[in-house]
């Protein structure tokens, strides 16, 4: 499924909802990439939300960042775009379903 951003003018008409990654999508991604990274390595999601994309990675260390806590226990509450590389170790995999809506906290980073 492809999200057609040209049909949703989200830059001027922000959505007021959170879009969660369906579990079957997260499992599909896991099935593709998990064989390419060592077990127990770090898998990182810079827009973790509720952590759906990280849930299948049970044999890995997982870490997420989000601007607000949405239920994923291993979340750093911060705007990822403001982080310095020294704040986390180098992950083996960065996985993300980025937000479509733009808020005051991230608008300044859009060019």
């Amino acid at each position: 499924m492809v999200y057609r951003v040209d049909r949703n003018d989200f830059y001027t008409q922000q959505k007021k909802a959170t879009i969660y990654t369906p579990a079957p999508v997260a499992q599909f991604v896991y099935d593709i990439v998990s064989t390419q990274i060592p077990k127990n390595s770090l898998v990182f999601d810079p827009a973790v939300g509720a952590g759906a994309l990280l849930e299948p990675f049970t044999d890995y260390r997982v870490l997420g960042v989000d601007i607000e806590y949405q239920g994923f226990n291993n979340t750093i509450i911060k705007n990822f775009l403001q982080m310095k590389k020294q704040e986390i170790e180098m992950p083996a995999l960065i996985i993300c379903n980025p937000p479509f809506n733009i808020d005051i906290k991230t608008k300044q980073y859009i060019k």
Side-chain angles (χ1 to χ4, degrees), residues 14-18 101:
Q14 293 182 32
K15 294 188 291 183
K16 302 293 183 191
T18 299
N101 54 342

Side-chain angles (χ1 to χ4, degrees), residues 63-78:
L63 177 64
V65 170
D66 212 305
I67 59 173
E68 61 187 16
Y69 181 74
Q70 296 183 42
F72 184 69
N73 286 332
N74 205 10
T75 300
I76 296 171
I77 309 302
K78 191 168 190 172

Side-chain angles (χ1 to χ4, degrees), residues 35-60:
T35 60
Q36 305 300 313
I37 56 175
K39 300 288 186 207
N40 202 38
S41 58
L42 181 63
V43 178
F44 176 66
D45 185 342
V48 72
L53 279 173
L54 294 179
E55 284 181 10
F57 289 89
T58 57
D59 292 337
Y60 299 85

Side-chain angles (χ1 to χ4, degrees), residues 1 9-11 16-18 24 32-33 37 44 48 50 52 69 76 87 92 97 100 105 107 110:
M1 182 169 116
D9 188 12
F10 64 92
Y11 289 109
K16 302 293 183 191
T18 299
I32 293 171
V33 301
I37 56 175
F44 176 66
V48 72
Y69 181 74
I76 296 171
E87 292 183 63
N97 183 3
F100 286 104
K105 298 173 191 173
K107 195 171 195 167
I110 297 171

